[in-house]
Amino acid sequence: MSENKVTIFIDDVPYQLSTDDNLLAGVLSEKLNLPYFCWHPSMGSVGACRQCAVTQFQDEADQRGRIVMACITPVTDGMRISIKNKAASEFREQVIAAMMTNHPHDCPVCAEGGECHLQDMTAMTGHSVREYQGTKRTFNNQYLGELVGHEMNRCITCYRCTRFYNDYAGGKDFGVYGSKNQVYFGRQTGGALESEFSGNLVEVCPTGVFTNKVFSSHYTRKWDLQSAPSVCSHCSVGCNLSIGERYGSVRRVMNRYNPDINGYFLCDRGRYGIGFVNGEQRIRQTNGIAQQSPVALTKLDVAKAFSHFRQKQFIGIGSARASLEANFYLKNIVGAENFSPGYNDEEMKVAAQHTQLLSANKPPSLIEIEQSDFVFIIAEDISQTAPRMALSVRQALRNAANAKAAKIGIPSWQDSAVRNIGGKLLSPLFSLQSTTTKLDDVAEQAILLSVTQISRCLAVLEELVNHGNIELRSIENIVNEKSLLEVLNNLAEKDQLTKLEQSFIASVYKSLRSAKKPLFISGISAVSAELLARLASVMTALKQQQEITVPQLIIVPPSSNSVGLLSIVDAQSLSIEQVLAQLNEPNKAYQGLILLEQELTTFSNTEITKLRSLAKSLIVLDHSEHRLSRIADIVLPVAAVSEGDGHYVNYQGRAQKFVQVHPPTLPIQESWRWLDNIADIIGIKVVNDEKALDEKQCLQSVAKNIKCQSLRQLHQFFIETYPQWSKLLIESDESDEKITARMSHRASGRTAQMANISVHEAKTTQKTDDNFSFSMEGRSVKNASDMPFAWAPGWNSNQAISQFQDEINGQLINHKSAVFISIPKTITNNPHWQLPEQSQSSFSQSAESGTESGTEKITEKSTNMPALVTYVQQKHVYFSDWQAALTPEFQMQAQSHKIYINADIAKQAGVQKGQWCHVNFSLTNKKMQLISQSVISQVNIVNNLPNSLVFGNFALCQPLLSTVEMSITLASEQEISDYLVLFNHNILQAKKSKKAILAKLKEQDQTIPIRLFSGGLNDG
Amino acid sequence: METIDITTIDYQHYLTALEIATIEHEASIMETREAAGIEALKVVQEQRGWISDESLYAISDLLAIPVAQLEGVATFYNLIYRQPVGENVIHLCDSIACHLTGLDSVLAAIKQYLNIDYGQTTTDGKFTLLSNACLGSCDKAPAMMIGTKHYQHLSPESAIDILQKLSVTGGDNA
């Protein structure tokens, strides 16, 4: 990574260290042991804890030297230091001794015990005798919500928590209180932490002040965990996780270092959203299959249950949360013309646009985002839909301060110095959204508009890029605000942009012109193909001129495998509307539907009923219950992300393998295994008439081809069918031939693992689909390209990762280069999903399609109630992902309904901030009320919100997500209390659910499921 | 204990016009608004004797500083009181020089005379006794500070004498 290497002498041994980082980072890069607390590889140095002391010598003759703190000492050519030197090592021991005077030594009851950085560092300094006899200061702890536990007495005052929470992640509700020996870290008063990144405190804290509350409630030591390298299944960023399991239940998620993506941090959805795996909604048994033996479901049972579907045609609906393998398999069983990604018509159009944007613009990784000096976010609240990406955007905004500091010779790792000199200086962030977001506080300008208005702004930006250059160059003064606005005014006139929108676009344009590494981020939350098409035109315009650096572009899809699904959608793929139409077609004679991990969130109950009545048979494969699983004829329980192997493709097209952490309890199996069990029965119906001479023969040959015992065979089949996949799949299967242990060397002795049942050593489950063993046998984690966990001698915490990086913040020693899949653009060949040609110049009325129709006509003149508005639902880090939202700890922190309106609407309705209101949304057509929905919610007032736009944190049914009439009246006492009773009831239910899950898991701990092979049904 | 809903404290309803004007003046001469936090705390404490939770929330609302950050400032400085205090706050120096020159007997005398311990306020609300890390009067130890005044070379007798006088005159807070 770094080329500026110089020779320095550490205890008279020469080393080559980089001058780009500090001495501590250099020492750790050489895998030498030097203790530290306040320094963090991603957050830099402040020199607060005085732990990384080394002796620095003037020259070779200098025998005495002086003590310096390695973390705030730059690396210089020829410098001589000593780590082993007596003065420095005694100093370090005494620093620990002083910290320990207040530490309670409660390791046996501390969740951090066994993977505690403080324990490691104490042992490293050799401080092994407790000499302090006095009393220790004690604190009251705070309730910090359901995710993070608080035990302030353990604090050693390293300030890492506040540096992460406030400085790095931009949190507002956390602080440092008091002084001297009485320093307290926490909230001003107790309450749930508001940051989406609160869970990182658990890893950032070097000891047990902040602990993972969910893990603590069903605790096990790190050395008893069985872990595997996994990938987050809750958004499209694809953060790398290490999931830990014991006795058949998932215990926790820890960060798994990947320098290109998540680095050292995760968001709370990723860390805690895994709760669904142990949840009460889990489907654990089949439904609709008669089981012959009381002991186990067999393949024969399944074959019998499916026998009457032989040679019947099904439509298969895949999903963006199912693995690439499962989606592929489904498409192959039902045939391309019978496959649907579960998107509606508009979403198909969005998918077509998304595909084109992806192939024309390679999206940057998170580490590349952090290099940006200009960020423009359009209609996607990434702080909630891809929180880890928002954290990277926050770091990018610090580049202005880094540059200012660099000018006077302060390196960026000098954290407090850079923050001091930077002050409030930030690189420009522009935010064009329909709801307020958590990045607004660091935005240079953030305005709120409806999606249609946002598209219109983009159209004007495009024109400015196309024509502005010429006109502005002739004026020869881009910096002149007045001339820029004049040009803009001319361009914007026909689009009727408000002054605010004009000045926003002017600022974006001006700022963009001076940016060297600009970045645009948008997404598909708004489900607007028009928006993406506009964005594509802006990008094309930008590429056609030389004045501006072409920005990088990211489109954020919602799910872990959205882009993977996109890669197998083709011109024949069906939209949900088409699926319904096809089922209704009498001459098609479909037997029914196979739903692969697909809950059809956007469907109304009426549509679900319609779907059910049209499908003769409904087969659902899923891990948790939903509306469709309850009405299905056959339900097959499938493995959650921790229970199977497969690939997810992130927003960039980066394919990443997630590895099975533990075998699921049968009959739960991976989706592709279920599909494999039924493939030869329902099989593919051959469509090509020329070749379909003998249908039966064809069916058999396909089935024979497809039949797979292991994931490797399945991959082999894919490689034959889709050659472009070979690289990815062969690499993931074969690069690591050797077996790596899922358990650490220090896992409690194998006979002790199940001593409560038997002291006889049980046979370990044999692996089938990956190169990790379900035991502690195998080569060291160090040699694997995907490390199941981080552990090194003397380094028991996750901070052991520095021992496995080629240098601090560098790649892992054995890393595999990332595999990016190419997205075929065949979906765009289907004329259904193409947008009408955009008129060259202005925003045309015809372009306003779908849900946004009619918004144009709503001007800010509509003063009489009910107002015509567009409602936008805010995204939420816990609840915007269906799987994560099943986690009881999230449900316990649900927020009551809130609606955000502007002051005008509030005034007309006679309501004030904080008041409870009865909000009615209705869609009328020719004076007939078609549909309406009433919501009790609390009013919030947002300035600069257009009259035609409101947003809130509750869901409205699909048809109401267009322009609707809204009326607001004060809610009656009765209505409020009824609502609150229901709200509190839901919270209480979540609490009960959490309790019930825990009780069940603890009981389950006593009967460990042992499987000899992790190979599906009949595996013995 | 009654919990306070932070969002409902509006500075305009809680702070006086004088307080708001003074704080706004301080904010106007600072580089950033949040830099006026410490001055704002002093202004409100001068008017009200101490900083209540409500005062803290009102200042945070006025200056648009997160309340956690303002609390950090308020609790860092020992001359900002986050609990009600008496008319006179005795900051008795607790450093090594004072310990060497008879702090123990002075402290004992004060405690006995006022019938309170560190951190407590007399029942008549006249005195609060606090320890202070170092008043910088090591050459004139033992020392204490009451209001804006320093008292040095204390003995048990002289300390009580000072307190007696203050309880009559009321000190500089009266």
Side-chain angles (χ1 to χ4, degrees):
Chain A
M1 195 165 92
S2 157
E3 279 136 40
N4 311 318
K5 290 211 167 179
V6 293
T7 304
I8 81 158
F9 297 88
I10 304 173
D11 291 310
D12 295 324
V13 180
Y15 288 91
Q16 295 285 314
L17 297 192
S18 159
T19 52
D20 295 344
D21 216 334
N22 59 67
L23 182 58
L24 173 61
V27 166
L28 293 172
S29 292
E30 293 302 326
K31 315 291 175 275
L32 297 170
N33 284 346
L34 182 58
Y36 63 87
F37 289 112
C38 66
W39 175 81
H40 186 283
S42 198
M43 297 192 288
S45 313
V46 289
C49 72
R50 320 312 284 173
Q51 187 60 70
C52 60
V54 294
T55 304
Q56 185 179 2
F57 303 100
Q58 294 262 314
D59 48 43
E60 236 167 312
D62 184 2
Q63 291 301 306
R64 192 147 172 247
R66 63 193 176 98
I67 285 184
V68 296
M69 297 306 137
C71 74
I72 44 170
T73 305
V75 174
T76 50
D77 196 9
M79 82 190 292
R80 310 187 74 87
I81 62 157
S82 170
I83 297 173
K84 292 177 187 159
N85 166 283
K86 192 164 176 250
S89 59
E90 274 180 7
F91 182 95
R92 294 194 298 263
E93 192 268 345
Q94 280 303 299
V95 169
I96 283 269
M99 285 172 182
M100 281 301 190
T101 58
N102 276 323
H103 191 75
H105 298 85
D106 60 343
C107 309
V109 295
C110 176
E112 199 81 0
E115 54 175 322
C116 174
H117 189 63
L118 179 60
Q119 281 180 338
D120 290 347
M121 297 300 107
T122 308
M124 199 179 281
T125 60
H127 174 71
S128 53
V129 178
R130 184 178 173 184
E131 278 160 354
Y132 175 70
Q133 296 296 322
T135 54
K136 291 170 186 272
R137 55 116 174 81
T138 54
F139 288 118
N140 288 325
N141 300 319
Q142 286 178 331
Y143 167 77
L144 297 177
E146 295 303 321
L147 309 178
V148 179
H150 196 214
E151 180 52 70
M152 257 312 290
N153 290 344
R154 296 173 185 148
C155 181
I156 55 158
T157 340
C158 72
Y159 281 74
R160 263 186 171 197
C161 52
T162 176
R163 288 179 56 219
F164 173 76
Y165 196 98
N166 302 102
D167 298 349
Y168 194 90
K172 301 269 183 280
D173 60 326
F174 189 90
V176 191
Y177 314 107
S179 61
K180 299 170 288 185
N181 214 12
Q182 306 266 343
V183 178
Y184 190 91
F185 297 86
R187 279 172 50 97
Q188 201 272 329
T189 52
L193 290 169
E194 288 162 13
S195 169
E196 295 79 32
F197 308 102
S198 65
N200 291 301
L201 292 178
V202 175
E203 288 189 52
V204 163
C205 177
T207 180
V209 178
F210 300 101
T211 49
N212 182 332
K213 212 169 174 174
V214 182
F215 179 44
S216 300
S217 66
H218 188 208
Y219 183 71
T220 194
R221 294 277 175 213
K222 180 180 180 178
W223 62 72
D224 283 330
L225 282 173
Q226 173 164 270
S227 309
S230 193
V231 176
C232 184
S233 59
H234 301 301
C235 89
S236 63
V237 173
C239 294
N240 290 191
L241 313 177
S242 166
I243 302 180
E245 173 268 358
R246 194 183 191 193
Y247 295 155
S249 62
V250 165
R251 301 301 176 98
R252 68 159 179 198
V253 163
M254 289 287 270
N255 183 71
R256 181 163 69 92
Y257 178 77
N258 183 327
D260 296 326
I261 311 176
N262 46 308
Y264 305 87
F265 306 116
L266 299 174
C267 75
D268 287 355
R269 187 195 284 176
R271 189 177 299 270
Y272 297 100
I274 196 75
F276 77 94
V277 177
N278 298 330
E280 282 195 304
Q281 277 98 332
R282 246 346 256 288
I283 302 172
R284 295 174 199 280
Q285 294 299 330
T286 52
N287 193 7
I289 297 181
Q291 188 174 315
Q292 293 304 313
S293 144
V295 185
L297 183 83
T298 62
K299 285 180 180 171
L300 191 62
D301 295 334
V302 179
K304 279 182 182 165
F306 277 80
S307 58
H308 61 284
F309 297 143
R310 191 167 292 281
Q311 294 181 29
K312 295 278 166 53
Q313 186 56 58
F314 280 84
I315 291 179
I317 306 184
S319 91
R321 61 182 167 86
S323 71
L324 197 54
E325 284 82 356
N327 276 309
F328 253 120
Y329 210 157
L330 179 66
K331 187 180 167 187
N332 276 282
I333 291 176
V334 296
E337 76 283 10
N338 302 311
F339 178 76
S340 163
Y343 295 154
N344 62 29
D345 286 342
E346 182 66 15
E347 286 170 327
M348 287 300 269
K349 288 180 195 161
V350 168
Q353 293 296 327
H354 186 191
T355 310
Q356 281 176 323
L357 281 168
L358 260 180
S359 56
N361 307 278
K362 188 179 178 291
S365 65
L366 295 198
I367 189 75
E368 285 163 340
I369 291 177
E370 294 185 11
Q371 318 297 321
S372 309
D373 60 353
F374 166 98
V375 187
F376 182 22
I377 308 181
I378 306 141
E380 181 72 33
D381 182 3
I382 57 166
S383 69
Q384 306 299 310
T385 60
R388 184 62 188 81
M389 188 185 287
L391 191 61
S392 288
V393 167
R394 256 181 205 281
Q395 309 321 310
L397 302 185
R398 295 197 61 231
N399 284 332
N402 282 334
K404 188 179 173 189
K407 267 187 197 157
I408 55 166
I410 298 174
S412 59
W413 50 261
Q414 282 279 15
D415 189 54
S416 56
V418 175
R419 283 185 197 276
N420 266 333
I421 192 166
K424 289 188 179 285
L425 179 67
L426 292 170
S427 296
L429 165 68
F430 293 93
S431 173
L432 197 50
Q433 305 275 7
S434 300
T435 65
T436 51
T437 80
K438 284 228 183 151
L439 280 172
D440 292 354
D441 63 327
V442 282
E444 188 166 308
Q445 249 179 298
I447 64 170
L448 296 171
L449 296 173
S450 74
V451 178
T452 321
Q453 290 164 321
I454 291 174
S455 295
R456 202 177 307 151
C457 284
L458 290 179
V460 174
L461 179 63
E462 180 196 340
E463 290 196 41
L464 195 57
V465 171
N466 278 336
H467 309 298
N469 270 334
I470 307 151
E471 299 194 34
L472 287 165
R473 208 181 309 139
S474 65
I475 296 163
E476 277 184 336
N477 199 352
I478 184 65
V479 213
N480 185 342
E481 187 82 23
K482 208 178 148 199
S483 59
L484 175 59
L485 278 176
E486 230 165 66
V487 171
L488 188 63
N489 204 9
N490 290 337
L491 289 173
E493 202 172 339
K494 47 187 176 278
D495 290 305
Q496 298 172 327
L497 251 56
T498 63
K499 285 277 169 250
L500 181 70
E501 288 160 23
Q502 282 183 31
S503 94
F504 179 87
I505 293 299
S507 309
V508 169
Y509 181 70
K510 215 169 87 177
S511 201
L512 182 59
R513 283 186 69 115
S514 55
K516 291 188 182 68
K517 287 181 181 168
L519 169 68
F520 284 8
I521 300 176
S522 188
I524 64 176
S525 287
V527 198
S528 166
E530 170 64 32
L531 177 83
L532 294 189
R534 279 289 160 204
L535 199 54
S537 316
V538 173
M539 292 301 293
T540 312
L542 283 165
K543 282 173 187 168
Q544 279 163 0
Q545 48 71 60
Q546 282 87 45
E547 313 285 312
I548 303 171
T549 314
V550 178
Q552 291 191 292
L553 175 71
I554 293 174
I555 303 294
V556 179
S559 302
S560 53
N561 200 25
S562 292
V563 176
L565 182 60
L566 211 54
S567 75
I568 62 164
V569 171
D570 58 31
Q572 288 174 292
S573 301
L574 305 169
S575 73
I576 285 293
E577 284 87 344
Q578 289 175 329
V579 168
L580 287 175
Q582 292 274 343
L583 287 174
N584 216 1
E585 196 100 347
N587 53 359
K588 289 270 180 177
Y590 280 107
Q591 178 65 35
L593 280 177
I594 301 175
L595 289 152
L596 172 69
E597 304 183 39
Q598 176 62 263
E599 78 284 359
L600 294 176
T601 312
T602 56
F603 258 36
S604 69
N605 285 336
T606 335
E607 285 169 306
I608 296 266
T609 318
K610 190 177 169 199
L611 184 92
R612 175 65 270 203
S613 65
L614 288 177
K616 266 183 252 163
S617 308
L618 193 59
I619 301 170
V620 166
L621 288 85
D622 219 325
H623 55 67
S624 299
E625 284 174 22
H626 47 72
R627 290 179 300 178
L628 288 154
S629 73
R630 292 191 192 102
I631 53 169
D633 299 305
I634 295 181
V635 179
L636 304 173
V638 309
V641 59
S642 64
E643 296 165 337
D645 294 79
H647 284 85
Y648 289 146
V649 182
N650 88 342
Y651 71 94
Q652 294 174 279
R654 180 192 297 258
Q656 301 190 99
K657 185 171 189 182
F658 58 90
V659 173
Q660 188 178 43
V661 185
H662 60 109
T665 314
L666 291 173
I668 298 174
Q669 313 188 76
E670 289 143 295
S671 291
W672 69 263
R673 273 191 207 281
W674 277 119
L675 293 172
D676 191 58
N677 289 146
I678 59 175
D680 53 349
I681 307 170
I682 50 182
I684 186 165
K685 192 164 187 179
V686 179
V687 277
N688 193 332
D689 287 330
E690 281 171 49
K691 286 182 187 172
L693 299 170
D694 183 352
E695 201 173 81
K696 207 172 174 184
Q697 192 188 342
C698 251
L699 261 174
Q700 276 170 349
S701 72
V702 169
K704 197 176 144 209
N705 270 343
I706 233 173
K707 212 65 190 147
C708 307
Q709 290 302 312
S710 70
L711 200 64
R712 193 163 297 193
Q713 287 172 3
L714 179 62
H715 286 167
Q716 209 54 51
F717 167 68
F718 285 147
I719 291 166
E720 286 158 21
T721 323
Y722 304 90
Q724 74 269 29
W725 277 82
S726 55
K727 192 178 162 218
L728 156 71
L729 298 172
I730 290 173
E731 274 191 15
S732 91
D733 284 339
E734 287 169 10
S735 66
D736 273 343
E737 270 305 323
K738 286 181 185 155
I739 305 299
T740 305
R742 277 183 174 85
M743 293 179 189
S744 73
H745 283 315
R746 289 170 51 192
S748 298
R750 279 198 307 210
T751 49
Q753 267 180 359
M754 289 166 242
N756 59 340
I757 294 166
S758 163
V759 291
H760 294 99
E761 189 178 314
K763 185 170 167 54
T764 53
T765 306
Q766 297 300 298
K767 61 105 197 173
T768 50
D769 293 329
D770 47 55
N771 301 301
F772 295 85
S773 65
F774 292 101
S775 74
M776 65 184 101
E777 275 81 28
R779 61 184 177 165
S780 139
V781 286
K782 176 175 156 182
N783 300 315
S785 56
D786 295 326
M787 292 167 59
F789 53 85
W791 181 87
W795 298 81
N796 296 290
S797 79
N798 224 15
Q799 305 192 38
I801 200 69
S802 65
Q803 304 295 305
F804 303 111
Q805 296 166 329
D806 57 9
E807 66 178 349
I808 294 298
N809 294 334
Q811 288 290 355
L812 291 174
I813 294 168
N814 277 299
H815 91 285
K816 259 188 320 204
S817 52
V819 178
F820 294 91
I821 62 165
S822 57
I823 314 289
K825 285 196 287 179
T826 48
I827 181 181
T828 54
N829 296 339
N830 188 330
H832 268 102
W833 318 131
Q834 285 165 6
L835 292 182
E837 276 297 308
Q838 287 168 17
S839 58
Q840 182 60 42
S841 60
S842 172
F843 199 84
S844 61
Q845 292 286 325
S846 64
E848 292 193 21
S849 56
T851 55
E852 285 293 323
S853 62
T855 318
E856 178 69 9
K857 281 146 215 136
I858 310 138
T859 56
E860 313 210 340
K861 288 168 211 146
S862 58
T863 46
N864 297 328
M865 298 296 282
L868 276 176
V869 298
T870 308
Y871 174 82
V872 179
Q873 186 184 355
Q874 278 179 309
K875 296 288 171 182
H876 194 281
V877 60
Y878 300 160
F879 303 113
S880 295
D881 171 66
W882 180 76
Q883 300 180 101
L886 299 170
T887 305
E889 284 81 7
F890 287 170
Q891 291 164 1
M892 283 158 77
Q893 297 198 160
Q895 298 251 308
S896 56
H897 289 167
K898 290 191 173 59
I899 180 139
Y900 297 80
I901 53 178
N902 73 10
D904 284 352
I905 296 183
K907 206 174 158 192
Q908 284 162 24
V911 294
Q912 283 171 353
K913 182 187 166 191
Q915 282 181 326
W916 283 94
C917 287
H918 181 106
V919 191
N920 185 64
F921 298 90
S922 60
L923 188 64
T924 52
N925 186 11
K926 293 171 189 160
K927 289 173 190 171
M928 272 255 298
Q929 189 160 324
L930 293 175
I931 186 165
S932 78
Q933 191 176 342
S934 286
V935 181
I936 302 294
S937 66
Q938 234 177 342
V939 169
N940 279 269
I941 293 172
V942 180
N943 297 326
N944 285 335
L945 194 65
N947 271 345
S948 56
L949 182 65
V950 297
F951 64 92
N953 62 353
F954 46 85
L956 287 189
C957 61
Q958 190 73 18
L960 289 174
L961 295 176
S962 55
T963 304
V964 289
E965 287 182 359
M966 179 190 73
S967 62
I968 302 181
T969 47
L970 278 180
S972 69
E973 288 288 322
Q974 187 60 42
E975 284 174 324
I976 301 171
S977 86
D978 285 353
Y979 170 73
L980 288 176
V981 165
L982 186 69
F983 177 73
N984 290 327
H985 173 78
N986 290 340
I987 303 266
L988 198 68
Q989 279 310 110
K991 274 187 194 165
K992 278 187 187 162
S993 166
K994 177 184 169 148
K995 223 173 145 184
I997 293 168
L998 272 178
K1000 200 171 143 253
L1001 291 180
K1002 284 179 180 172
E1003 198 186 309
Q1004 183 191 308
D1005 289 350
Q1006 304 301 315
T1007 51
I1008 309 132
I1010 298 166
R1011 275 169 65 185
L1012 300 181
F1013 290 92
S1014 173
L1017 298 180
N1018 302 6
D1019 73 359
Chain B
M1 204 174 77
E2 205 184 332
T3 55
I4 300 156
D5 186 356
I6 298 171
T7 56
T8 59
I9 293 200
D10 178 353
Y11 77 90
Q12 285 174 321
H13 295 144
Y14 188 79
L15 299 177
T16 65
L18 175 69
E19 286 168 334
I20 295 171
T22 323
I23 295 171
E24 283 296 351
H25 169 72
E26 294 295 342
S28 70
I29 56 176
M30 302 281 179
E31 195 181 320
T32 62
R33 228 174 139 67
E34 62 190 24
I38 179 68
E39 292 304 324
L41 290 165
K42 280 160 73 179
V43 167
V44 175
Q45 179 164 295
E46 201 171 290
Q47 300 295 319
R48 304 173 188 228
W50 65 293
I51 300 294
S52 64
D53 283 352
E54 289 86 343
S55 301
L56 192 76
Y57 299 146
I59 296 170
S60 128
D61 184 37
L62 170 59
L63 292 175
I65 314 175
V67 69
Q69 193 184 338
L70 191 68
E71 178 79 297
V73 175
T75 53
F76 179 81
Y77 293 104
N78 65 342
L79 292 179
I80 299 291
Y81 309 125
R82 284 286 280 115
Q83 286 174 35
V85 288
E87 280 169 36
N88 300 289
V89 183
I90 306 164
H91 286 265
L92 186 61
C93 186
D94 188 28
S95 64
I96 291 174
C98 294
H99 272 282
L100 290 172
T101 51
L103 169 68
D104 286 354
S105 59
V106 174
L107 175 62
I110 294 177
K111 279 184 179 174
Q112 194 192 7
Y113 175 72
L114 296 175
N115 196 24
I116 54 172
D117 210 330
Y118 273 141
Q120 295 177 337
T121 302
T122 53
T123 44
D124 61 1
K126 291 244 182 223
F127 292 99
T128 297
L129 178 62
L130 298 176
S131 70
N132 202 95
C134 182
L135 288 172
S137 302
C138 300
D139 55 332
K140 306 178 187 73
M144 69 177 175
M145 179 174 77
I146 301 175
T148 55
K149 252 182 139 176
H150 279 233
Y151 302 91
Q152 289 143 348
H153 296 301
L154 295 178
S155 65
E157 297 75 25
S158 67
I160 301 229
D161 198 38
I162 292 160
L163 298 186
Q164 263 172 350
K165 278 183 191 150
L166 281 174
S167 62
V168 179
T169 61
D172 56 16
N173 284 339

